[in-house]
Amino acid sequence: MKSAITVSLVPEARGGPFVFWDDLPAACRTAREIGYDAIELFPPSADAVRPAELRKLLDGEGLRLAAVGTGAGWVKHRLHLAQPDESARSQARDFIRSIIDFAGPFGAPAIIGSMQGRSGEGVSKDEARNALGDALNQLAEHAKQFGVPLIYEPLNRYETDQFNRVADAVSWLEDSKIENVRLLCDLFHMNIEETDVAAALRDAGNHVGHVHFVDSNRRPVGHGHLDVGRAIAALRDIGYDGYLSAEAFPYPDPESAARQTMNAYRDFTTHRV
Ligand code: LER
Ligand code: MN
């Protein structure tokens, strides 16, 4: 398993669960000093960072790009995939497609979290899910040219009514025959929704494509009450070799959060084999 840490460049997401903020070069420098393998980027749009500049930064620090979030489509542009209006849905898909095109050449997948939307405003739960399924089909197909999957993240009930539990998302992907989509298992959301976080990860098997590594209260691992050791043991059992990515509040401050998460990552992935 590899380590990653989140960097947000989106002022509208302030207060959200991202460790580093605003200054991408400084974030990369600190991430490298602490020993991270990669960053996970949360940009305001696909043209916010020039690819050549990002390439230079990453290469200079010996970092990889783990994944790129699409949530600014919602928090900044107020778009999501299940909106009542087809032209808004289509703009939401275009936004995600542009992030896939940005991330793909780095070998990084795009993440669909808050962009999945929800039912409401005259859209039934079934219609919302169908809209999500259509979008995942199209966008996952688009991602294939870069040899990356599309990453879909079940969220807790207060953020979406699409999928809250990993097993429900797995069954739906399988039943709907949606290909090239893998799941983002966010330990914060799972702690709210799952009966047993470790068992849910084990059952999801090779559907797990990315992990948000965070504690029960969304603080860095070690500041909450989640049994992270059991979760990591389950990931080891299923042969997960992707990222454990720190998507947590910058508590008590970004650098301490980054160091705390790295200590936990090393402790759980190296010492407790
Ligand atoms: C939102 O709660 C979340 O976990 C993010 O990863 C989705 O954009
Ligand atoms: Mn997450």
Side-chain angles (χ1 to χ4, degrees), residues 153 186 212 247:
E153 180 177 24
D186 181 321
H212 278 158
E247 188 193 66

PDB file of all heavy atoms in Angstrom, residues 153 186 212 247, ligand 2:
ATOM      1  N   GLU A 153     -17.172   7.031  -5.120  1.00  0.00           N
ATOM      2  CA  GLU A 153     -17.088   7.036  -3.660  1.00  0.00           C
ATOM      3  C   GLU A 153     -18.475   7.031  -3.004  1.00  0.00           C
ATOM      4  O   GLU A 153     -19.185   8.049  -3.050  1.00  0.00           O
ATOM      5  CB  GLU A 153     -16.326   8.299  -3.215  1.00  0.00           C
ATOM      6  CG  GLU A 153     -16.169   8.435  -1.714  1.00  0.00           C
ATOM      7  CD  GLU A 153     -15.358   9.662  -1.296  1.00  0.00           C
ATOM      8  OE1 GLU A 153     -15.305  10.637  -2.082  1.00  0.00           O
ATOM      9  OE2 GLU A 153     -14.783   9.643  -0.205  1.00  0.00           O
ATOM     10  N   ASP A 186     -13.910   5.398   1.891  1.00  0.00           N
ATOM     11  CA  ASP A 186     -13.509   6.479   2.799  1.00  0.00           C
ATOM     12  C   ASP A 186     -13.860   6.021   4.214  1.00  0.00           C
ATOM     13  O   ASP A 186     -15.030   5.807   4.545  1.00  0.00           O
ATOM     14  CB  ASP A 186     -14.272   7.754   2.402  1.00  0.00           C
ATOM     15  CG  ASP A 186     -13.919   8.958   3.263  1.00  0.00           C
ATOM     16  OD1 ASP A 186     -13.739   8.772   4.490  1.00  0.00           O
ATOM     17  OD2 ASP A 186     -13.867  10.076   2.728  1.00  0.00           O
ATOM     18  N   HIS A 212      -9.668   6.548   1.423  1.00  0.00           N
ATOM     19  CA  HIS A 212      -9.436   7.769   2.199  1.00  0.00           C
ATOM     20  C   HIS A 212      -9.151   7.343   3.632  1.00  0.00           C
ATOM     21  O   HIS A 212      -9.996   6.778   4.325  1.00  0.00           O
ATOM     22  CB  HIS A 212     -10.630   8.733   2.079  1.00  0.00           C
ATOM     23  CG  HIS A 212     -10.573   9.547   0.821  1.00  0.00           C
ATOM     24  ND1 HIS A 212     -11.662  10.150   0.240  1.00  0.00           N
ATOM     25  CD2 HIS A 212      -9.497   9.858   0.035  1.00  0.00           C
ATOM     26  CE1 HIS A 212     -11.261  10.796  -0.865  1.00  0.00           C
ATOM     27  NE2 HIS A 212      -9.961  10.618  -1.007  1.00  0.00           N
ATOM     28  N   GLU A 247      -7.330  12.055   3.610  1.00  0.00           N
ATOM     29  CA  GLU A 247      -8.358  13.071   3.407  1.00  0.00           C
ATOM     30  C   GLU A 247      -8.972  13.302   4.779  1.00  0.00           C
ATOM     31  O   GLU A 247      -9.893  12.586   5.206  1.00  0.00           O
ATOM     32  CB  GLU A 247      -9.431  12.621   2.409  1.00  0.00           C
ATOM     33  CG  GLU A 247     -10.377  13.777   2.084  1.00  0.00           C
ATOM     34  CD  GLU A 247     -11.623  13.336   1.353  1.00  0.00           C
ATOM     35  OE1 GLU A 247     -12.439  12.603   1.950  1.00  0.00           O
ATOM     36  OE2 GLU A 247     -11.782  13.728   0.185  1.00  0.00           O
TER      37      GLU A 247
HETATM   38 MN    MN B   2     -13.622  10.992   0.859  1.00  0.00          MN
END
